[in-house]
């Protein structure tokens, strides 16, 4: 039996334990309130600005995604009540998982979902902010207040190393139309180890912010500014250029650069890019309509290691430009000159003669290309695997025969809207290119028997066609 003293002693212990739990929890909340944690959530206009008992530091907007600042969640809000709960109601089954299992799960979550997980409980908060999970920040959405989100996230990631995010290597904010220079300044100031930055479609970004990122992030290798119409150049800031020697100033480590749809890019800007980014291996200049052959001359002089190059829809590029590109010789693997109307067989002959290791060529819409150009290409580029000569009305069965007799490694061939192609040319291709995996003959006047012949000889080939009788 329990004596009066035993009961009194037991109740005193319970009261002391409850007081200690309350003091511990309140003390921990006080210690963490100065280091807020962000969560990216979608709130309607009528939602209040209080989450989990913690007031937020920013107002809400109608259906707008914003960065909310809150304190770490408290697992014991009412200690006395939690002590009285049955044992089978005190924890969820998922709590049985070890920490390393949670971390493995969290690695597959996007940034906004990871921030939501940090608000579940104190254990999840500590796990969600593990430095190994924050090598990448990936934000999407045209309603996201991305400048504020980046500021809050980088501030939290700089908690252990003030003003520096040593773990952050990749930032992807493509399609975030509300991104401005202010957001990129935040990334540049806090991420010295940044290696990959994608801001595709962020049309409010300007040259100054890009210069800041390139100057402060010496390890940056991958830069995607496609669709950023205000970006006309890639260079170092003036202050950094003055501090560095001319030789060292050229050593920007960018290897991959996508400037598709940067309509304002001109030859002078490409000259500056080439002079500073001498290690470029992948360069995409699709629809940079102001570029001419002179810009390509600068590119080849300063960037001899280019392996992939696209100048599709650059209407001022001609055979003289291809003559400059041919100076890349065996290093060039990928070339896209689609819809460059000034290119003829002469330019393609330069490429075929000097770029013998070419694997991919997109010449769609080059109406000056004929069977003679295809013949030179087939006889010299024996490793060619993918060829697109759609909408080239002067290419006929004779060109396909030369291609079939020499390009045995061909896997993808597009002949879309080639008016001069018949079934005879397709049969020759199918009889010699056994590894063909994709054939596009849409809008081509080819008989049903030719399509069936291709299907019998190239069993793994996917045929894209517009013949309703073939299936």
């Amino acid at each position: 039996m329990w004596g009066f003293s035993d009961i009194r002693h037991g109740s005193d212990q319970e009261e002391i334990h409850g007081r200690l739990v309350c003091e511990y929890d309140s003390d921990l909340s006080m210690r963490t309130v100065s280091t807020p944690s962000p969560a990216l959530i979608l709130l309607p206009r009528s939602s209040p600005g209080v989450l989990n008992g913690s007031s937020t530091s920013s107002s809400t907007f109608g259906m707008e995604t914003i960065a909310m600042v809150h304190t770490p969640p408290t697992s014991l809000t009412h200690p006395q009540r939690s002590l009285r709960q049955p044992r089978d109601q005190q924890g969820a089954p998922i709590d049985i998982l070890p920490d390393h299992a949670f971390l493995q799960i969290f690695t597959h979550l996007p940034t906004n979902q990871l921030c939501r997980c940090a608000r579940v409980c104190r254990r999840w908060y500590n796990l969600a902010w593990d430095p190994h999970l924050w090598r990448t920040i990936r934000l999407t959405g045209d309603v996201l207040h991305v400048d504020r989100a980046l500021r809050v996230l980088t501030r939290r990631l700089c908690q252990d190393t003030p003003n520096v995010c040593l773990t952050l290597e990749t930032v992807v904010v493509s399609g975030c139309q509300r991104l401005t220079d202010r957001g990129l300044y935040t990334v540049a100031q806090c991420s010295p180890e940044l290696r990959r930055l994608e801001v595709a479609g962020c049309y409010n970004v300007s040259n100054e912010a890009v210069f800041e990122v390139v100057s402060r992030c010496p390890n940056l290798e991958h830069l995607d500014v496609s669709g950023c119409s205000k970006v006309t150049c890639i260079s170092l800031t003036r202050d950094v250029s003055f501090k560095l020697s001319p030789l060292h100033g050229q050593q920007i480590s960018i290897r991959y650069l996508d400037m598709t749809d940067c309509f304002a890019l001109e030859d002078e800007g490409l000259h500056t890019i080439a002079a500073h980014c001498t290690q470029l291996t992948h360069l995409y200049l699709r629809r940079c309509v102001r570029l001419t052959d002179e810009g390509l001359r600068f590119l080849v002089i300063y960037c001899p290691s280019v392996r992939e190059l696209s100048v599709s829809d650059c209407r001022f590029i001609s055979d003289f430009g291809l003559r400059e590109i041919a100076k890349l010789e065996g290093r060039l693997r990928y070339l896209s000159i689609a819809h460059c109307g000034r290119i003829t067989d002469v330019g393609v002959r330069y490429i075929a003669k000097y770029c013998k290791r070419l694997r991919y060529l997109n010449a769609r819409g080059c109406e000056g290309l004929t069977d003679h150009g295809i013949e030179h290409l087939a006889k010299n580029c024996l490793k060619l695997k993918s060829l697109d000569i759609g909408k080239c009305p002067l290419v006929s069965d004779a060109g396909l025969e030369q291609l079939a007799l020499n390009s045995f490694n061909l896997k993808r061939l597009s002949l879309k809207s080639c008016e001069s192609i018949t079934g005879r040319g397709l049969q020759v291709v199918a009889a010699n290119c056994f590894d063909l995996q994709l054939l596009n003959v849409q809008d081509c006047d080819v008989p049903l028997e030719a399509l069936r012949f291709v299907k019998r000889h190239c069993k793994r080939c996917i045929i894209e066609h517009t013949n309703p009788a073939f299936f």
Side-chain angles (χ1 to χ4, degrees):
M1 295 182 59
W2 288 81
F4 178 79
S5 60
D6 294 330
I7 297 176
R8 177 68 178 272
H9 179 69
S11 61
D12 290 344
Q13 283 185 337
E14 183 177 354
E15 181 178 358
I16 293 173
H17 176 69
R19 188 182 299 115
L20 289 175
V21 171
C22 291
E23 292 176 356
Y24 170 79
D25 186 64
S26 61
D27 179 65
L28 187 57
S29 298
M30 290 298 294
R31 285 191 287 110
T32 56
V33 73
S34 60
T35 57
S37 164
L40 307 179
I41 59 177
L42 191 66
L43 294 176
R45 182 181 296 275
S46 59
S47 299
V50 178
L51 296 174
N52 286 354
S54 301
S55 60
T56 62
S57 62
S58 59
S59 60
T60 60
F61 303 88
M63 293 307 292
E64 179 187 50
T65 305
I66 58 178
M68 306 299 295
V69 180
H70 58 82
T71 57
T74 304
S75 58
L76 292 176
T77 307
H78 302 287
Q80 294 290 347
R81 185 182 303 174
S82 63
L83 289 174
R84 296 173 184 174
Q85 290 179 348
R87 182 176 300 177
D88 57 350
Q89 298 181 4
Q90 291 182 1
I94 196 173
D95 292 335
I96 302 175
L97 293 177
D99 288 351
H100 67 84
F102 274 108
L103 291 176
Q104 185 63 29
I105 295 173
F106 286 168
T107 57
H108 301 283
L109 297 181
T111 300
N112 60 336
Q113 296 294 339
L114 193 58
C115 291
R116 287 189 176 98
C117 290
R119 301 178 60 246
V120 172
C121 64
R122 192 172 300 278
R123 182 191 179 196
W124 282 34
Y125 173 85
N126 293 328
L127 291 174
W129 289 107
D130 186 282
H132 296 90
L133 298 177
W134 290 95
R135 292 190 174 96
T136 299
I137 291 179
R138 188 180 301 272
L139 302 173
T140 57
D142 54 357
V143 298
L144 175 66
H145 199 311
V146 65
D147 289 348
R148 186 184 304 174
L150 289 174
R151 184 175 67 251
V152 175
L153 287 171
T154 53
R155 183 184 303 169
R156 175 58 181 82
L157 294 175
C158 293
Q159 180 178 347
D160 298 329
T161 53
N163 301 324
V164 178
C165 303
L166 295 178
T167 59
L168 187 58
E169 297 181 353
T170 302
V171 174
V172 180
V173 289
S174 297
C176 297
Q177 299 178 2
R178 299 184 64 180
L179 177 71
T180 66
D181 290 349
R182 186 177 301 176
L184 284 190
Y185 286 139
T186 300
V187 173
Q189 293 170 2
C190 301
S191 311
E193 299 298 325
L194 191 68
R195 296 181 179 274
R196 184 186 185 104
L197 175 64
E198 297 183 16
V199 293
C202 302
Y203 49 77
N204 291 317
V205 172
S206 67
N207 283 341
E208 288 72 17
V210 175
F211 291 178
E212 191 72 18
V213 172
V214 171
S215 300
R216 289 178 173 267
C217 305
N219 297 323
L220 187 66
E221 297 181 347
H222 183 114
L223 179 60
D224 184 354
V225 292
S226 56
C228 300
S229 55
K230 295 182 180 180
V231 177
T232 61
C233 186
I234 305 295
S235 179
L236 297 170
T237 59
R238 182 174 302 179
D239 295 338
V240 175
S241 298
F242 286 154
K243 293 178 182 179
L244 297 175
S245 64
L247 179 62
H248 184 72
Q250 296 177 1
Q251 301 305 309
I252 295 179
S253 57
I254 294 178
R255 299 178 181 272
Y256 179 105
L257 178 60
D258 191 344
M259 298 192 68
T260 299
D261 293 324
C262 293
F263 307 114
L265 178 64
E266 298 180 349
D267 291 339
E268 184 179 355
L270 184 57
H271 184 185
T272 304
I273 292 172
H276 286 83
C277 306
T278 57
Q279 302 181 42
L280 276 176
T281 58
H282 297 68
L283 179 61
Y284 304 96
L285 304 171
R286 306 179 188 96
R287 292 180 291 279
C288 295
V289 294
R290 298 185 182 183
L291 291 179
T292 69
D293 299 331
E294 185 69 10
L296 296 181
R297 186 175 70 85
F298 294 133
L299 176 65
V300 174
I301 291 174
Y302 292 104
C303 304
S305 301
V306 172
R307 296 168 54 90
E308 295 193 8
L309 176 63
S310 175
V311 290
S312 297
D313 296 281
C314 296
R315 57 190 178 186
F316 295 121
I317 301 299
S318 67
D319 293 332
F320 294 102
L322 288 193
R323 184 180 63 179
E324 298 298 327
I325 294 175
K327 295 178 182 179
L328 296 172
E329 298 181 345
R331 293 176 291 275
L332 189 65
R333 300 289 193 275
Y334 172 107
L335 178 62
S336 179
I337 51 176
H339 303 289
C340 294
R342 300 188 179 190
I343 290 178
T344 66
D345 290 339
V346 177
V348 174
R349 287 175 62 180
Y350 280 115
I351 297 297
K353 182 177 180 180
Y354 296 102
C355 304
K356 296 182 180 297
R357 297 184 179 180
L358 193 68
R359 303 288 199 278
Y360 175 99
L361 177 63
N362 183 359
R364 173 176 294 193
C366 295
E367 297 182 356
L369 185 61
T370 70
D371 293 333
H372 296 291
I374 299 299
E375 180 180 357
H376 284 282
L377 191 67
K379 290 182 177 180
N380 290 277
C381 301
L382 301 179
K383 296 185 178 181
L384 193 66
K385 293 184 177 181
S386 179
L387 177 64
D388 189 342
I389 49 177
K391 298 183 179 180
C392 294
L394 301 180
V395 176
S396 66
D397 293 339
L400 288 188
E401 290 177 2
Q402 292 297 326
L403 192 66
L405 296 176
N406 295 277
S407 302
F408 302 109
N409 295 318
L410 197 64
K411 297 182 181 297
R412 301 170 67 92
L413 177 62
S414 177
L415 305 171
K416 182 178 181 180
S417 302
C418 288
E419 303 171 356
S420 303
I421 297 297
T422 66
R424 183 171 61 88
L426 291 185
Q427 291 179 358
V428 175
V429 170
N432 292 273
C433 302
F434 302 107
D435 293 333
L436 197 64
Q437 298 176 1
L438 178 63
L439 176 64
N440 187 341
V441 289
Q442 294 177 344
D443 301 320
C444 294
D445 187 15
V446 293
L448 181 62
E449 293 75 13
L451 296 178
R452 290 175 176 170
F453 184 88
V454 174
K455 194 62 179 178
R456 285 197 304 269
H457 286 75
C458 304
K459 299 185 181 301
R460 296 185 300 172
C461 182
I462 298 175
I463 304 176
E464 297 179 357
H465 62 93
T466 51
N467 190 333
F470 178 75
F471 54 89

